């Protein structure tokens, strides 16, 4: 009789432990789901640009000029160099056939040298490979790769990915030695989305049959635009007789013409950019894919991808400058206020310290609430899993011991 009562007690304890384990798993799952849902509503906090020229050799001069032109544009609109990844063969400026050493132009008037003092090339020459390109997007670098050559984006980032070169049906050639396939690009974008490396991504490609490169994309938050449809070529704009080759492609030329009318404060929308492409001047049909993009293009400024993120402060009235007398009076009042606020600041900091200590003491009275707060504050699902394992291990051990 005593043995039956003991085994019954053990079974009840085991059942209670099992129920506690199940409730904990449900709690962790709900915390993980709330974490994923909040990541979808993350604020737009920063912009990045990945600019890739996939060609080399002198006769592809225009592809390097295309890329340097976009590089100059996004810098002018506010994206800093540390948030631009530039990939170039970099064999034009100092080429023996270049009549203008250390200079690259995108117009025959030669007014603007694209290869100036402020060009920072991150990947040059034979570093411009499909492997390195995919590593940049996915963040899977070798340990020796410096931070300056990494795309350090996060779930609040808007990324502009611009590529130019020679392509065909669902591929883009890299330096005439290898190809980036459409499924390679789609897989890299999928990994980026799963690893929370972007909030929104704009892919812009200037090549023949550019639209086919987007056929395998399925990740949400992606917007794509190409210079030509399937079966169409992408043409150069004009020949520079002094340089001896074409210096810019048509699609990029008219993209630059659109942005040259804008400054960092303009609110031109993406739809205005897309509608600016005229098939008769491009000699091809610009294609854009929007089914993966949640927002209306009319509501999205082009600077969301081509410019910087600025905090805008709205005021009720226009700014009015102070007179000299008002300025001196305001300065003296501020200095007195500062002296008066020094002591209260100390008291406030002491109060905050005591409040935090009280909160810790209150939390120690309820370990479960403290643990639950830590779970909700955790920023990584891996952390939630680690918490789950830490709790499950002793529960399983106790349950196994009691069932013997």
């Amino acid at each position: 009789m005593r043995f039956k009562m003991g085994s019954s007690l053990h079974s009840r304890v085991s059942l209670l432990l099992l129920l506690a384990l199940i409730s904990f798993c449900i709690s962790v799952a709900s915390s993980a789901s709330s974490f994923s849902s909040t990541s979808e509503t993350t604020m737009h906090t920063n912009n990045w640009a990945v600019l890739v020229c996939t060609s080399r050799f002198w006769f592809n001069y225009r592809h390097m000029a295309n890329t340097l032109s976009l590089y100059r544009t996004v810098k002018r609109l506010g994206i800093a160099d540390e948030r631009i990844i530039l990939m170039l063969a970099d064999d034009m400026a100092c080429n023996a056939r270049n009549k203008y050493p250390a200079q690259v132009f995108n117009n025959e008037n030669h007014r603007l040298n694209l290869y100036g003092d402020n060009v920072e090339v991150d990947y040059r020459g034979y570093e411009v490979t499909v492997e390195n390109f995919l590593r940049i997007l996915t963040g899977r670098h070798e340990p020796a790769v410096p931070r300056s050559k990494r795309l350090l984006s996060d779930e609040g980032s808007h990324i502009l990915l611009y590529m130019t070169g020679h392509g065909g049906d669902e591929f883009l050639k890299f330096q005439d030695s290898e190809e980036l396939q459409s499924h390679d690009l789609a897989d890299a974008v999928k990994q980026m989305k799963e690893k929370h490396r972007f909030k929104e991504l704009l892919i812009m490609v200037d090549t023949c049959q550019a639209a086919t490169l987007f056929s395998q994309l399925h990740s949400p938050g992606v917007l794509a635009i190409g210079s030509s449809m399937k079966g169409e070529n992408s043409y150069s704009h004009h020949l520079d007789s002094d340089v001896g080759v074409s210096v810019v492609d048509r699609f990029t030329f008219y993209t630059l013409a659109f942005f040259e009318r804008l400054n960092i404060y303009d609110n031109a929308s993406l739809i205005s950019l897309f509608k600016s492409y005229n098939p008769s001047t491009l000699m091809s049909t610009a294609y854009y894919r929007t089914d993966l993009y949640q927002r209306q293009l009319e509501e999205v400024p082009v600077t969301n991808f081509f410019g910087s993120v600025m905090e805008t402060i709205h005021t009720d009235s226009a700014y009015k400058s102070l007179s000299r007398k008002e300025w001196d009076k305001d300065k003296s009042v501020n200095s007195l206020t500062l002296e008066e606020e020094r002591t209260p600041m100390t008291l406030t900091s002491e109060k905050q310290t005591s409040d935090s200590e009280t909160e810790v003491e209150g939390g120690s009275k309820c370990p479960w609430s403290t643990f639950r707060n830590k779970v909700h504050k955790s920023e990584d699902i891996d952390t939630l899993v680690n918490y789950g394992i830490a709790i499950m291990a002793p529960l399983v051990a106790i349950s196994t011991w009691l069932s013997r």
Side-chain angles (χ1 to χ4, degrees):
M1 185 70 177
R2 189 177 300 172
F3 174 76
K4 288 182 178 181
M5 289 179 62
S7 61
S8 175
L9 179 61
H10 286 178
S11 62
R12 289 179 181 178
V13 172
S14 300
L15 181 60
L16 289 174
L17 289 173
L18 182 60
L19 290 174
L21 182 60
I22 292 173
S23 64
F24 173 78
C25 293
I26 293 173
S27 174
V28 170
S30 64
S31 300
S33 63
S34 64
F35 168 77
S36 60
S37 63
T38 54
S39 65
E40 293 176 359
T41 57
T42 306
M43 291 289 293
H44 173 206
T45 55
N46 56 84
N47 285 358
W48 287 78
V50 180
L51 311 177
V52 187
C53 171
T54 65
S55 299
R56 62 183 304 111
F57 309 123
W58 176 252
F59 55 84
N60 292 319
Y61 182 104
R62 66 188 184 278
H63 295 152
M64 179 171 172
N66 290 345
T67 311
L68 287 175
S69 298
L70 258 294
Y71 173 77
R72 172 184 172 274
T73 296
V74 297
K75 284 185 66 176
R76 181 177 66 85
L77 294 177
I79 301 182
D81 251 324
E82 56 264 24
R83 290 188 174 174
I84 301 175
I85 305 296
L86 183 60
M87 302 183 77
L88 291 176
D90 205 15
D91 59 346
M92 306 300 170
C94 298
N95 194 293
R97 283 172 284 191
N98 190 355
K99 186 179 178 179
Y100 303 93
Q103 299 179 75
V104 176
F105 303 102
N106 65 356
N107 202 301
E108 59 184 349
N109 59 24
H110 299 166
R111 292 179 181 174
L112 177 63
N113 175 24
L114 299 172
Y115 202 79
D117 297 331
N118 298 320
V119 176
E120 295 184 12
V121 183
D122 299 292
Y123 293 81
R124 57 166 34 97
Y126 291 106
E127 289 183 319
V128 183
T129 63
V130 173
E131 179 185 351
N132 282 338
F133 172 71
L134 296 177
R135 285 184 181 276
I136 289 170
L137 296 186
T138 58
R140 301 172 66 180
H141 293 281
E142 297 290 340
V145 176
R147 288 175 59 87
S148 61
K149 301 177 76 169
R150 301 183 184 219
L151 179 65
L152 302 175
S153 56
D154 53 42
E155 59 184 2
S157 303
H158 284 195
I159 301 176
L160 167 66
L161 172 57
Y162 173 84
M163 296 184 286
T164 182
H166 291 290
D169 191 357
E170 297 197 26
F171 72 88
L172 179 64
K173 289 201 295 185
F174 269 64
Q175 300 194 359
D176 284 342
S177 61
E178 55 182 345
E179 297 174 352
L180 172 73
Q181 302 284 342
S182 60
H183 61 83
D184 295 327
L185 178 62
D187 182 65
V189 172
K190 181 181 178 181
Q191 290 187 51
M192 293 176 72
K193 191 64 177 178
E194 290 174 347
K195 297 167 73 173
H196 306 290
R197 289 179 61 78
F198 70 87
K199 178 178 175 63
E200 294 180 3
L201 171 66
L202 172 59
I203 305 175
M204 177 178 281
V205 180
D206 189 354
T207 186
C208 298
Q209 306 189 64
T212 61
L213 206 58
F214 313 139
S215 60
Q216 305 293 331
L217 294 173
H218 299 291
S219 302
V222 178
L223 185 62
I225 180 167
S227 59
S228 53
M229 301 282 285
K230 182 175 181 178
E232 294 183 342
N233 292 324
S234 184
Y235 294 98
S236 62
H237 186 264
H238 65 272
L239 174 74
D240 185 334
S241 57
D242 277 350
V243 176
V245 291
S246 299
V247 293
V248 68
D249 281 320
R250 286 181 174 268
F251 178 78
T252 300
F253 178 87
Y254 289 108
T255 302
L256 297 174
F258 175 86
F259 281 107
E260 286 303 313
R261 299 191 296 267
L262 306 181
N263 60 46
I264 195 172
Y265 303 105
D266 281 319
N267 290 321
S269 64
L270 282 177
I271 195 64
S272 64
L273 170 63
F274 292 173
K275 287 184 175 180
S276 69
Y277 298 115
N278 187 344
S280 62
T281 55
L282 288 181
M283 300 177 65
S284 62
T285 308
Y287 166 85
Y288 50 94
R289 182 176 173 184
T290 61
D291 58 303
L292 300 173
Y293 196 68
Q294 292 82 9
R295 295 197 287 166
Q296 296 295 322
L297 298 185
E298 295 84 355
E299 303 172 357
V300 184
V302 290
T303 49
N304 268 22
F305 294 98
F306 293 87
S308 64
V309 180
M310 297 186 298
E311 182 181 357
T312 305
I313 302 175
H314 297 278
T315 58
D316 297 330
S317 59
Y319 174 76
K320 296 180 180 179
S321 60
L322 298 175
S323 65
R324 180 68 181 174
K325 185 181 294 185
E326 291 173 330
W327 172 260
D328 293 336
K329 180 179 179 182
D330 184 67
K331 187 176 179 181
S332 61
V333 170
N334 286 339
S335 61
L336 289 174
T337 306
L338 183 61
E339 290 294 333
E340 293 173 357
E341 287 181 350
R342 283 178 179 171
T343 305
M345 280 179 63
T346 308
L347 295 175
T348 304
S349 62
E350 291 176 357
K351 183 177 183 298
Q352 289 176 348
T353 305
S354 62
D355 289 344
S356 62
E357 291 174 355
T358 305
E359 184 180 348
V360 170
E361 291 175 0
S364 63
K365 295 178 181 178
C366 184
W368 172 251
S369 62
T370 305
F371 172 77
R372 188 173 178 80
N373 289 336
K374 288 183 179 180
V375 169
H376 282 293
K377 290 179 181 178
S378 63
E379 298 179 352
D380 190 358
I381 293 180
D382 292 338
T383 307
L384 300 177
V385 174
N386 292 334
Y387 277 128
I389 294 174
I391 294 297
M392 286 170 59
L395 290 176
V396 171
I398 294 172
S399 177
T400 305
W401 177 71
L402 290 175
S403 63
R404 291 179 179 177

